[in-house]
Amino acid sequence: MPRKSGSSRRLVADGRTYLWWQRHGHRRDEHGRPFDCRQVLTLSPQPSGTGGPLRIVFASGPDRYVPGGFPLGSGDVGAVRGSSLNLHEPGAVRSLLDAARAHGWRPDERGPVEIDGWLLLDAAAAARATRAEEAGGASP
């Protein structure tokens, strides 16, 4: 079941605290009509003011899915014939955070940073699966 839209959750990773939330949105054309479904995961380093937010954006495209209603579950993102994650799961968020850091993002950067989530998906999904195997099949 999806969480209340706009509510944040707390994640502690490597001794640092983040608030995170995800939302579904669209870009708008020149007439203001929505198009291009997007799922945006935002992680904000805490305490406030110690770093800028990281926005991981999953935009719809060929052979990709983002939640837009039935039949997909809320928070699901993935490749049609590949990796997938559910952005409501803390373990998936942690894996994306780790992948973003490996990709060069630093939590102490002052301004907001936006990263294409598709560049991180395979590494994050593989790391999440490895953690699940190490935990004996349980979800991390």
Side-chain angles (χ1 to χ4, degrees):
M1 173 175 245
R3 295 178 55 84
K4 180 181 171 189
S5 179
S7 65
S8 63
R9 297 175 75 178
R10 186 172 171 262
L11 174 73
V12 178
D14 300 323
R16 181 131 199 191
T17 300
Y18 301 86
L19 291 181
W20 65 274
W21 59 95
Q22 56 100 22
R23 65 177 173 78
H24 181 82
H26 302 91
R27 291 188 308 161
R28 303 247 173 214
D29 67 15
E30 63 275 1
H31 303 290
R33 291 183 299 251
F35 75 101
D36 185 27
C37 288
R38 300 160 49 96
Q39 193 68 21
V40 181
L41 172 66
T42 303
L43 293 111
S44 182
Q46 298 299 303
S48 184
T50 60
L54 169 64
R55 293 184 189 103
I56 301 174
V57 179
F58 292 91
S60 61
D63 296 323
R64 298 174 174 172
Y65 59 88
V66 298
F70 182 81
L72 300 175
S74 173
D76 291 334
V77 295
V80 172
R81 290 178 199 80
S83 302
S84 65
L85 290 172
N86 185 308
L87 302 182
H88 288 295
E89 298 174 355
V93 173
R94 171 63 194 264
S95 294
L96 285 165
L97 172 63
D98 291 345
R101 292 191 66 181
H103 195 73
W105 179 73
R106 297 291 168 250
D108 55 352
E109 291 182 40
R110 287 296 184 188
V113 173
E114 187 172 296
I115 297 177
D116 179 352
W118 302 113
L119 299 175
L120 308 176
L121 182 65
D122 288 338
R128 180 147 166 73
T130 298
R131 277 199 293 272
E133 286 177 17
E134 291 170 354
S139 200

